[in-house]
Amino acid sequence: MATSPKSLSGLFPFLKPYRVALGVAALFLLLAAGTTLAFPWVLRQLIDQGLASGAPADQLSGNFLQLFGVAAALAVFSAGRYYTVSWLGERITADLRNAVYGHVLKQSPAFFETTQSGEVLSRLTNDTTLVQTVVGSSFSMGLRNLVMGAGALIMLVWTNPLLMLQVVAVLVAVIFPSVYLGRRVRRLSRTNQDRVADSSAIASEVLNAISVVQSYTAEGRETRRFIDSTLRALSSALGRIRARAVLVGFIIMASSAVLLWGLYMGTLAVRAGTSTAGQLGETVFYVILLASAFAVLGEVYGDMLRAAGATERLMELLHTESHLKISAEPQRAPWPQGGSSLELQAVRFHYPSRPDTWALDQLSGQIHPGQTVAVVGPSGAGKTTLFDLLMRFHDPQSGRIVLDGVPIDQMGLHDLRERMAIVPQEPVIFSGTVIENIRYGRPDASLEDVHAAAEAAYAQEFIRELPEGFDTYLGDRGVRLSGGQRQRIAIARAILKNPPLLLLDEATSALDAQSEKMVQAALDKAMVGRTTLVIAHRLATVQRADVIWVLERGRLMEQGTHAELQAKGGLYASLAALQFNAS
Ligand code: ADP
């Protein structure tokens, strides 16, 4: 992967708001590095002056006080650096996470068809955590070690130029093999991460379908499949661990060699009288600083590469453009009273993945305010696609959809979707109370309005019987509702939103007679005073519709009332005979 640390520049916009904090962090960082560099120098004073025979006693205590002063300063500056840098890391990661999530939620269905939600989740968690490691620690560690390494190098040149040259030569000999080994470790750890992700993918698929798995008594097989994939993850982990063990051993061995070499040369110099013991101590310290700076920088470089990869993936996600063209100057349509008017003008659409099949083909039609249109047709006829186009989840390749006098691609997306509510076949109940669920489309609705909507959707009665009435917690960890009850909550949600256009996708599965009657009555109420498009599966619905549109293979084949179309004896008549639930 040709990732370079340059990709990290994608993070600049996220750093910008924190300029002051960045400045403070940099200051603490420099101060801490500076104090570390002062340490060996003070140590040399201690050895050469305080320890020298005949030095006054207060000389020694003075030297120790100096040392303590340096240590105290280092403590304060390091704490300050740690706090500001970690604070920055957390803040920036939180901002990044929110930005990516907010952006992903705005994507059109085409995006979600090509991107698995698991992948988005992994970017939101793993990739942002990698970025956090770099911003919140590695980067400052790198900078500190760069300053310290450079400082130690300068001090070495200043105090012992010849020795320094030798040390640098040996260091370079150490670095190349470490870099090579480090790369290998990184490659292996990437493979390992992929293998771990594979086994989580298996687990999540199986856990989501646990009842099917158990009904086919496939637990044993699934367990073995999981064990296999865990073993693959394990063996790739072992490869990484071996490479890492060699790397660690090599680094310790090589850096000790450098250190001992320096010590040996220094001791010779002290013995020859060309250098003092203090100078030797100082030099050894600087060499340690230099060597450890090199080691840390190697590590940091690895982290930065990984974070650069993560940043690239995040930026890619953050810069995916929704393929919908949003009009820069949206036209405002008047808010219709008594329902929207809707006109389809030769709408033609195919899915990006199926360019050779028109899902909707030259679809034209007009719906007047307040009308109820039942859309019927065999499975695959394009009914759902029509709804998706109305909500602008996709745009037609040709033709236009005009809502309340304005083409929908000229309307603001928010304005467009503000005008409609959908009651899907399988209503979604969010984790939250009954009230929160009904309020979903109008979070600021008053309690009276919520109750009125529940009343109109014939949901009042069963909600009152729930353990805590309207405050009952629903969703995964809460009370489970029956199919009919979920539908009535969804209808109440739509009624509360009070849009001029209602999109209904009737459930295909029949409810029991009692629930059926309630849901039907609720829908009747919901349709009052607005335009309704309903994907119909029930005889009662088509009989009451003002117009029926009969679709087949994306084309509008027939339209008219139930009686008219029955009399015609065409496609509708044959469909009606087979398809509708007579309830
Ligand atoms: P209906 O709701 O009437 O059963 P749809 O609108 O779901 O029909 O589907 C219309 C046609 O478009 C079908 O041929 C279907 O296979 C195809 N189709 C639906 N969704 C997609 C998609 N996301 N990608 C590709 N083809 C699709």
Side-chain angles (χ1 to χ4, degrees):
M1 195 167 65
T3 306
S4 97
K6 273 202 202 108
S7 311
L8 287 172
S9 62
L11 295 175
F12 283 157
F14 290 91
L15 297 174
K16 251 191 178 162
Y18 300 112
R19 259 169 295 190
V20 177
L22 277 169
V24 175
L27 186 67
F28 274 127
L29 203 137
L30 284 176
L31 287 172
T35 4
T36 313
L37 284 171
F39 217 86
W41 183 78
V42 178
L43 190 72
R44 171 178 155 191
Q45 311 300 312
L46 173 78
I47 296 175
D48 282 353
Q49 298 167 11
L51 289 185
S53 48
D58 58 349
Q59 170 76 39
L60 185 62
S61 59
N63 283 131
F64 268 101
L65 267 181
Q66 257 181 355
L67 265 181
F68 179 71
V70 172
L74 183 62
V76 171
F77 296 146
S78 300
R81 176 191 54 83
Y82 174 77
Y83 180 81
T84 43
V85 170
S86 310
W87 183 91
L88 271 169
E90 297 287 345
R91 279 295 167 118
I92 288 164
T93 318
D95 289 354
L96 192 61
R97 250 179 215 149
N98 293 341
V100 172
Y101 185 65
H103 187 74
V104 166
L105 286 200
K106 286 197 218 128
Q107 296 303 307
S108 64
F111 170 86
F112 294 98
E113 269 171 30
T114 50
T115 317
Q116 287 179 334
S117 58
E119 194 182 326
V120 174
L121 281 182
S122 129
R123 291 187 187 183
L124 276 179
T125 50
N126 301 348
D127 285 350
T128 50
T129 307
L130 277 176
V131 170
Q132 183 178 350
T133 320
V134 162
V135 179
S137 92
S138 302
F139 189 65
S140 96
M141 228 157 72
L143 216 55
R144 183 164 48 114
N145 279 282
L146 203 65
V147 174
M148 276 184 351
L153 204 63
I154 291 170
M155 294 303 279
L156 278 176
V157 175
W158 191 37
T159 53
N160 208 336
L162 192 68
L163 175 70
M164 193 281 309
L165 261 183
Q166 293 168 351
V167 167
V168 168
V170 180
L171 269 182
V172 170
V174 173
I175 285 166
F176 279 108
S178 322
V179 167
Y180 169 76
L181 276 171
R183 280 221 184 107
R184 199 176 140 70
V185 168
R186 270 199 305 283
R187 210 172 36 241
L188 287 170
S189 72
R190 203 152 46 225
T191 323
N192 183 221
Q193 275 165 5
D194 290 349
R195 291 293 87 77
V196 172
D198 289 349
S199 76
S200 339
I202 291 181
S204 108
E205 185 190 349
V206 169
L207 289 178
N208 277 324
I210 188 68
S211 49
V212 179
V213 172
Q214 291 183 345
S215 72
Y216 283 95
T217 58
E219 299 94 324
R221 244 183 308 143
E222 290 299 352
T223 308
R224 278 193 299 283
R225 194 153 76 100
F226 188 76
I227 289 175
D228 286 347
S229 102
T230 314
L231 281 181
R232 279 193 292 277
L234 181 67
S235 77
S236 75
L238 291 181
R240 185 203 51 178
I241 290 169
R242 272 193 298 273
R244 176 124 208 164
V246 173
L247 179 64
V248 169
F250 177 77
I251 285 178
I252 293 179
M253 174 77 80
S255 50
S256 315
V258 174
L259 192 61
L260 290 175
W261 172 256
L263 199 58
Y264 174 64
M265 297 302 283
T267 318
L268 284 185
V270 174
R271 277 213 331 208
T274 52
S275 162
T276 66
Q279 270 172 346
L280 175 62
E282 185 188 20
T283 307
V284 166
F285 234 105
Y286 282 129
V287 172
I288 293 180
L289 278 183
L290 187 61
S292 74
F294 265 107
V296 172
L297 282 175
E299 190 96 338
V300 165
Y301 185 71
D303 281 350
M304 294 208 358
L305 275 187
R306 289 202 309 158
T311 309
E312 259 173 30
R313 290 190 292 271
L314 285 168
M315 291 303 133
E316 203 182 284
L317 203 55
L318 206 48
H319 295 135
T320 37
E321 304 234 340
S322 179
H323 67 278
L324 293 180
K325 286 182 194 56
I326 306 296
S327 167
E329 285 170 26
Q331 288 181 35
R332 284 209 70 85
W335 195 261
Q337 301 299 324
S340 286
S341 66
L342 183 66
E343 196 182 344
L344 306 176
Q345 301 173 350
V347 171
R348 236 178 168 199
F349 171 76
H350 68 74
Y351 284 93
S353 58
R354 304 184 59 186
D356 46 349
T357 324
W358 295 107
L360 291 178
D361 196 0
Q362 302 291 354
L363 197 65
S364 295
Q366 184 140 25
I367 303 173
H368 301 292
Q371 271 191 326
T372 297
V373 176
V375 184
V376 302
S379 154
K383 306 179 292 289
T384 315
T385 307
L386 173 63
F387 273 26
D388 286 355
L389 256 56
L390 290 176
M391 290 181 281
R392 262 199 104 193
F393 289 143
H394 306 282
D395 274 341
Q397 275 84 20
S398 64
R400 278 208 308 192
I401 300 173
V402 182
L403 180 69
D404 297 325
V406 175
I408 59 172
D409 56 347
Q410 304 290 315
M411 225 182 230
L413 206 53
H414 190 258
D415 182 20
L416 169 74
R417 291 177 185 167
E418 201 55 18
R419 286 162 196 264
M420 40 187 83
I422 182 159
V423 179
Q425 275 200 10
E426 287 290 331
V428 174
I429 301 294
F430 293 98
S431 303
T433 62
V434 175
I435 296 189
E436 284 162 358
N437 263 288
I438 296 179
R439 264 190 189 148
Y440 198 74
R442 228 181 89 199
D444 55 351
S446 72
L447 221 49
E448 289 80 57
D449 288 348
V450 172
H451 286 210
E455 179 88 56
Y458 293 90
Q460 191 79 306
E461 206 173 315
F462 85 80
I463 294 174
R464 289 214 184 287
E465 282 168 12
L466 292 173
E468 281 161 80
F470 276 87
D471 293 318
T472 308
Y473 203 79
L474 304 177
D476 275 353
R477 304 233 175 90
V479 170
R480 300 294 177 107
L481 299 178
S482 75
Q485 291 171 336
R486 279 206 300 275
Q487 277 176 0
R488 278 179 277 159
I489 295 272
I491 294 167
R493 188 186 281 161
I495 291 179
L496 184 66
K497 189 178 175 188
N498 193 21
L501 178 62
L502 182 66
L503 303 176
L504 291 177
D505 193 352
E506 270 189 341
T508 39
S509 54
L511 301 167
D512 63 87
Q514 180 61 18
S515 313
E516 186 68 59
K517 223 181 273 164
M518 298 283 245
V519 169
Q520 198 60 52
L523 286 176
D524 285 347
K525 277 245 175 92
M527 293 180 193
V528 174
R530 60 187 117 243
T531 307
T532 307
L533 242 77
V534 47
I535 297 179
H537 298 289
R538 291 197 176 74
L539 193 59
T541 313
V542 288
Q543 280 172 336
R544 259 176 298 173
D546 298 305
V547 191
I548 300 165
W549 286 4
V550 188
L551 294 189
E552 193 186 39
R553 285 200 225 111
R555 288 173 172 270
L556 184 53
M557 308 298 281
E558 296 176 358
Q559 58 176 314
T561 63
H562 175 68
E564 285 165 12
L565 293 174
Q566 279 286 23
K568 208 170 151 195
L571 177 62
Y572 178 80
S574 55
L575 265 177
L578 288 172
Q579 211 178 351
F580 296 128
N581 301 323
S583 53

